[in-house]
Amino acid sequence: MKKAMLDGQSKLLLFVNGLFVLASALSGTFINVFLWKSRQDFTMIGWFTISQQIALVLTFWLAGKWVKEHNKMNVIRVGILLSAVFYLLVLWLDQEAVSYIWPLGLLLGTSLGLFWISFNVVYFEVTSRDNRDLFNGWVGLIGSLVGIVGPWASGLVISLSKANQGYRIIFMISMVVYGVGVIVSFFLKKRKTEGTYYWIEPFRQLKNTASPWRHAAPALAFQGIREGVFSFLVNLLVYIATTQEVKLGQFYLYTSLVALVSYHFVGKWYKPSHRYYGSLIGAVLLSLLTLPLLWSVNYSTLLIVGIGSALFMPFYILPMISSVFDLMGTSDEMVSKRVELVVLREICLTAGRIAGVLIFILVLSIHDSSKTMTWLMVILGFSPVLSWLFLRKLVRI
């Protein structure tokens, strides 16, 4: 068999992705903590997350036309620039940022949407079924490396600085890294445009009972349920348990180091034939790893959850990503609609994320207690198993 390889454009795309993820890791890890220190309100953080997701999915859908019919490289650059503008505004607003949760969340979501829709389309174009697991493994590997250095360095700087000076330093560094990302993106080749953008294609696929996306959609939605809540709640709980940004940085250092090793081996040895049972093992273990929280929510149990998730997430998420993107290459017609299908993928993920956070907000509004929050995390943490029940029909393809 021909060994899977990555060409120069794939490697350059990985580099641009690495810079974007680095800038996001430096500041994004602590943005919720920054807001929490101004107002201790889980609901406020939840609405901030929802505002991002609303903007992200709308941006995917609206920007899809530009990505398909015009220069998708410019979309990546605008997304990176808007991310820098977001942190510039947070610097300017300082403690008043909590009064502008919705506009700030919408801006951040828009920037993420612009970057990721273009990145996902280009990623599909520069990879194939043979090397897609390898590329995804490298994405995870780079993300883990960045996760080791970025949050730890940020936490150290913030802890050693007075008041919010450390946050200002980190946000400024992120803006510089975003700028470098824009410059490097100009070395990516301009991709060919192809065809007309069909606004309702994502919904047409869901309506078609013969479409494999009828299985992919709920799998992605259940994946999003866990992501939506865990993406902001775990790091916030680590900070609340320790009251030290440096401890949160250490948390990401340990978990990212484990993820680095896991993504390396899983990305290197995973093959399409491994996806069925590999994703099942990953989904089950990810779900079971939330159970220690029922004993106690402290730094130690959160670290168990974090390290365990870092270890087993690649087994679950790599087949999830690769199998869904493989659906875009099943025929010439699907390839020609790859932009619309990337939008469909994000709609399904975002629907799950928003549903998860809305459940979180609703339950806490009825009964706000630490025990309720713990049970919520455990219950929502089992969503990967439900995701696999739908995914299993795709990983056999």
Side-chain angles (χ1 to χ4, degrees), residues 224 255 385:
T255 57
V385 174

Side-chain angles (χ1 to χ4, degrees), residues 32-266:
N32 287 329
V33 174
F34 179 80
L35 296 172
W36 176 266
K37 292 176 76 171
S38 298
R39 185 189 301 167
Q40 289 74 49
D41 184 357
F42 283 109
T43 300
M44 178 265 294
I45 301 296
W47 286 120
F48 178 59
T49 303
I50 286 179
S51 65
Q52 293 173 51
Q53 294 303 318
I54 291 173
L56 188 147
V57 72
L58 287 176
T59 301
F60 259 73
W61 187 53
L62 295 172
K65 183 174 179 62
W66 187 271
V67 169
K68 185 167 185 176
E69 299 179 6
H70 302 283
N71 189 348
K72 56 180 70 70
M73 292 298 103
N74 286 339
V75 178
I76 278 185
R77 292 168 195 134
V78 174
I80 298 173
L81 285 172
L82 285 182
S83 294
V85 171
F86 167 79
Y87 287 106
L88 182 64
L89 284 175
V90 173
L91 278 171
W92 179 55
L93 291 169
D94 198 33
Q95 297 299 306
E96 293 300 313
V98 292
S99 301
Y100 300 92
I101 289 301
W102 274 92
L104 285 174
L106 292 172
L107 175 61
L108 182 57
T110 300
S111 69
L112 294 173
L114 290 171
F115 178 85
W116 288 115
I117 184 174
S118 190
F119 173 85
N120 285 333
V121 172
V122 177
Y123 147 70
F124 173 79
E125 293 176 352
V126 301
T127 61
S128 66
R129 179 177 171 85
D130 293 331
N131 66 0
R132 203 155 279 146
D133 287 320
L134 177 64
F135 185 93
N136 290 331
W138 272 105
V139 169
L141 192 66
I142 292 170
S144 300
L145 279 170
V146 166
I148 292 171
V149 178
W152 174 78
S154 295
L156 192 62
V157 169
I158 292 170
S159 296
L160 293 176
S161 303
K162 295 181 180 179
N164 284 333
Q165 187 62 35
Y167 283 97
R168 298 189 185 96
I169 294 171
I170 294 304
F171 291 167
M172 289 177 66
I173 292 173
S174 288
M175 287 190 289
V176 172
V177 176
Y178 282 129
V180 175
V182 171
I183 295 171
V184 174
S185 71
F186 281 98
F187 292 94
L188 284 166
K189 293 179 182 178
K190 183 178 179 181
R191 313 299 301 180
K192 293 189 299 182
T193 57
E194 183 181 333
T196 302
Y197 182 67
Y198 296 101
W199 293 97
I200 64 170
E201 180 61 26
F203 310 104
R204 194 183 72 82
Q205 288 290 332
L206 294 178
K207 188 177 180 181
N208 181 5
T209 56
S211 173
W213 286 90
R214 291 288 290 264
H215 299 298
L220 289 165
F222 281 114
Q223 175 192 336
I225 286 176
R226 185 185 192 277
E227 287 181 0
V229 176
F230 280 56
S231 63
F232 74 88
L233 188 56
V234 172
N235 63 349
L236 202 54
L237 289 175
V238 171
Y239 174 74
I240 293 170
T242 62
T243 67
Q244 299 178 55
E245 286 90 349
V246 69
K247 283 288 188 180
L248 179 56
Q250 289 174 358
F251 174 86
Y252 274 94
L253 187 152
Y254 300 144
T255 57
S256 296
L257 185 60
V258 173
L260 176 71
V261 177
S262 185
Y263 270 109
H264 172 71
F265 285 104
V266 176

Side-chain angles (χ1 to χ4, degrees), residues 165-378:
Q165 187 62 35
Y167 283 97
R168 298 189 185 96
I169 294 171
I170 294 304
F171 291 167
M172 289 177 66
I173 292 173
S174 288
M175 287 190 289
V176 172
V177 176
Y178 282 129
V180 175
V182 171
I183 295 171
V184 174
S185 71
F186 281 98
F187 292 94
L188 284 166
K189 293 179 182 178
K190 183 178 179 181
R191 313 299 301 180
K192 293 189 299 182
T193 57
E194 183 181 333
T196 302
Y197 182 67
Y198 296 101
W199 293 97
I200 64 170
E201 180 61 26
F203 310 104
R204 194 183 72 82
Q205 288 290 332
L206 294 178
K207 188 177 180 181
N208 181 5
T209 56
S211 173
W213 286 90
R214 291 288 290 264
H215 299 298
L220 289 165
F222 281 114
Q223 175 192 336
I225 286 176
R226 185 185 192 277
E227 287 181 0
V229 176
F230 280 56
S231 63
F232 74 88
L233 188 56
V234 172
N235 63 349
L236 202 54
L237 289 175
V238 171
Y239 174 74
I240 293 170
T242 62
T243 67
Q244 299 178 55
E245 286 90 349
V246 69
K247 283 288 188 180
L248 179 56
Q250 289 174 358
F251 174 86
Y252 274 94
L253 187 152
Y254 300 144
T255 57
S256 296
L257 185 60
V258 173
L260 176 71
V261 177
S262 185
Y263 270 109
H264 172 71
F265 285 104
V266 176
K268 185 176 181 179
W269 300 111
Y270 231 53
K271 295 180 176 63
S273 59
H274 299 157
R275 292 176 184 174
Y276 184 86
Y277 290 107
S279 57
L280 173 60
I281 292 170
V284 170
L285 291 176
L286 278 175
S287 302
L288 292 176
L289 279 166
T290 59
L291 295 178
L293 296 175
L294 294 175
W295 173 45
S296 177
V297 180
N298 54 41
Y299 185 72
S300 298
T301 55
L302 288 166
L303 195 59
I304 291 171
V305 173
I307 289 176
S309 297
L311 181 61
F312 297 111
M313 180 62 78
F315 290 89
Y316 162 69
I317 204 66
L318 292 186
M320 192 77 197
I321 297 172
S322 297
S323 299
V324 170
F325 273 91
D326 284 349
L327 292 180
M328 303 176 195
T330 53
S331 67
D332 290 340
E333 180 187 3
M334 291 295 101
V335 171
S336 69
K337 295 177 180 177
R338 57 189 176 276
V339 175
E340 291 89 342
L341 297 179
V342 166
V343 173
L344 172 56
R345 174 181 179 268
E346 195 61 33
I347 288 173
C348 298
L349 279 170
T350 304
R353 291 171 187 148
I354 292 176
V357 180
L358 283 176
I359 291 170
F360 174 81
I361 292 173
L362 178 62
V363 172
L364 286 189
S365 67
I366 297 172
H367 193 271
D368 188 357
S369 70
S370 58
K371 199 67 177 177
T372 300
M373 189 181 304
T374 303
W375 274 105
L376 259 178
M377 290 186 70
V378 172

